[in-house]
Amino acid sequence: MSHDCHCGHDHNEHEHVDRYEQALREYNLHLHDEDVAAAVARLCEEKATQYNTPEVLRYLLGTVELTTLTVVDSEERVLRMVEKYNRFAEEHPDLPPFATICVYPCFAKLVSQSLEVEGTETAVVTGGFPSSQTFLEIKTAETALAVHDGATECDMVLSVGKFQSGDYETCYDEIVEIKAACAGRPLKVILETGALQTAEAIKRASVLSMLAGADFIKTSTGKIEPAATPEAAYVMCQAIREYYDKTGRRVGFKAAGGVSTPEDAVKYYTIVKELLGDEWLNPYLFRIGTSSLAPRLIKAVTGEDVGKF
């Protein structure tokens, strides 16, 4: 005999929550911030100097996503940046091309039509960047419009407020929907690790995003502090490794926000190499989003002062 429940709770909703919690429990979530910080300090002390070589710095040029995401961006400013990069690449055919130029979605057509460097993709931030606080219909429409205009990669922001409220289902479904709107283009999910704060929360958000189909997980929007940190990167790369060991699917890692010096970039290289291995040391799986790093890396590699792009 069946009995109606009058407890006032939606049991279907609880079943959904349990489904996501159950999936997350398959991963090691027992992380302590102090242990992560100590492990990162030890790793960087032992290995970062070893990896700070001309060869690694040259390699890192190919991980750069040359980015402009300011309130004063305009067609003129974006076009100047693209044209300067085109000229630089033409004058330095021996250097690896940047991975992408990353802009707001309204500039996707401009970048895709004016970018002349083979191997550099047109990336956009989408889905109500940087807060992700808008309707899902707007997020997916914005993504689809950017792809139609020539975007070949998309960066979305996890709905952090919903995540912190335990609404994993909405977070998961949004990633699935926006990925579908990408129409086969790579989707990077920005975790906004500075808002998540703890290693356990960063690990949970990393795993949930990968389970939903993220092609990359990315640290930050660069719009709040702290932005990218080696500690967040360490946890995210641990999650990527654990996910790969369970599924066989390689997910990329992107550091963004505050990565401004070659020494900063080498720390992220060290973490990726030591936790994920050489298989991740290619532009399809390791990226650094930045505006200020690019000219500093170029100067470190070539001695040339090219100034801001």
Side-chain angles (χ1 to χ4, degrees), residues 137-188:
E137 293 85 354
I138 300 297
K139 296 179 182 184
T140 55
E142 183 180 52
T143 304
L145 286 166
V147 168
H148 179 268
D149 277 356
T152 54
E153 297 185 3
C154 298
D155 296 31
M156 65 166 281
V157 185
L158 178 75
S159 287
V160 176
K162 290 183 172 61
F163 175 83
Q164 291 178 327
S165 299
D167 187 359
Y168 295 160
E169 182 178 18
T170 296
C171 294
Y172 182 100
D173 288 348
E174 284 192 342
I175 294 169
V176 170
E177 293 290 333
I178 294 173
K179 183 173 171 64
C182 290
R185 280 75 169 176
L187 175 66
K188 310 183 198 90

Side-chain angles (χ1 to χ4, degrees), residues 151-282:
T152 54
E153 297 185 3
C154 298
D155 296 31
M156 65 166 281
V157 185
L158 178 75
S159 287
V160 176
K162 290 183 172 61
F163 175 83
Q164 291 178 327
S165 299
D167 187 359
Y168 295 160
E169 182 178 18
T170 296
C171 294
Y172 182 100
D173 288 348
E174 284 192 342
I175 294 169
V176 170
E177 293 290 333
I178 294 173
K179 183 173 171 64
C182 290
R185 280 75 169 176
L187 175 66
K188 310 183 198 90
V189 177
I190 306 167
L191 306 183
E192 200 65 290
T193 53
L196 297 178
Q197 298 185 336
T198 69
E200 180 181 340
I202 292 168
K203 182 73 174 282
R204 282 177 172 267
S206 298
V207 172
L208 184 68
S209 299
M210 292 187 288
L211 291 171
D215 298 293
F216 275 78
I217 51 175
K218 172 179 169 182
T219 57
S220 320
T221 62
K223 303 301 185 184
I224 71 164
E225 293 294 338
T229 65
E231 291 77 17
Y234 188 91
V235 173
M236 291 166 69
C237 288
Q238 278 188 327
I240 290 168
R241 167 54 67 185
E242 199 173 344
Y243 178 80
Y244 172 72
D245 290 343
K246 291 180 185 296
T247 68
R249 186 169 80 92
R250 287 190 173 96
V251 174
F253 166 75
K254 179 177 174 181
V259 187
S260 59
T261 69
E263 291 74 21
D264 292 335
V266 168
K267 286 182 182 178
Y268 292 104
Y269 174 95
T270 301
I271 291 166
V272 170
K273 182 173 176 65
E274 291 297 316
L275 271 65
L276 297 174
D278 290 343
E279 298 90 344
W280 265 261
L281 292 177
N282 65 74

Side-chain angles (χ1 to χ4, degrees), residues 13-218:
E13 180 181 343
H14 285 299
E15 287 169 11
H16 282 305
V17 171
D18 289 345
R19 188 181 116 203
Y20 298 104
E21 277 290 352
Q22 190 61 43
L24 289 167
R25 286 174 193 152
E26 298 295 317
Y27 292 80
N28 175 25
L29 300 174
H30 302 294
L31 304 178
H32 299 286
D33 296 342
E34 300 82 1
D35 294 341
V36 170
V40 170
R42 187 167 55 249
L43 180 62
C44 289
E45 183 179 349
E46 292 174 358
K47 298 288 187 177
T49 302
Q50 170 187 332
Y51 293 136
N52 194 349
T53 66
E55 294 77 20
V56 168
L57 295 175
R58 180 187 177 89
Y59 159 78
L60 285 167
L61 284 171
T63 70
V64 167
E65 296 202 22
L66 185 62
T67 302
T68 183
L69 298 169
T70 74
V71 73
V72 295
D73 284 347
S74 64
E75 289 190 350
E76 292 77 16
R77 286 169 63 97
V78 172
L79 184 59
R80 278 199 302 272
M81 183 181 77
V82 176
E83 289 179 337
K84 179 169 182 176
Y85 172 56
N86 286 339
R87 290 193 300 273
F88 172 81
E90 185 177 7
E91 293 165 2
H92 298 82
D94 56 316
L95 295 179
F98 294 158
T100 79
I101 289 180
C102 184
V103 293
Y104 282 113
C106 54
F107 300 115
K109 181 177 286 187
L110 174 65
V111 173
S112 65
Q113 291 180 347
S114 57
L115 181 60
E116 298 171 356
V117 183
E118 186 175 350
T120 301
E121 302 292 335
T122 300
V124 298
V125 293
T126 189
F129 179 94
S131 68
S132 194
Q133 300 284 16
T134 189
F135 303 101
L136 177 58
E137 293 85 354
I138 300 297
K139 296 179 182 184
T140 55
E142 183 180 52
T143 304
L145 286 166
V147 168
H148 179 268
D149 277 356
T152 54
E153 297 185 3
C154 298
D155 296 31
M156 65 166 281
V157 185
L158 178 75
S159 287
V160 176
K162 290 183 172 61
F163 175 83
Q164 291 178 327
S165 299
D167 187 359
Y168 295 160
E169 182 178 18
T170 296
C171 294
Y172 182 100
D173 288 348
E174 284 192 342
I175 294 169
V176 170
E177 293 290 333
I178 294 173
K179 183 173 171 64
C182 290
R185 280 75 169 176
L187 175 66
K188 310 183 198 90
V189 177
I190 306 167
L191 306 183
E192 200 65 290
T193 53
L196 297 178
Q197 298 185 336
T198 69
E200 180 181 340
I202 292 168
K203 182 73 174 282
R204 282 177 172 267
S206 298
V207 172
L208 184 68
S209 299
M210 292 187 288
L211 291 171
D215 298 293
F216 275 78
I217 51 175
K218 172 179 169 182

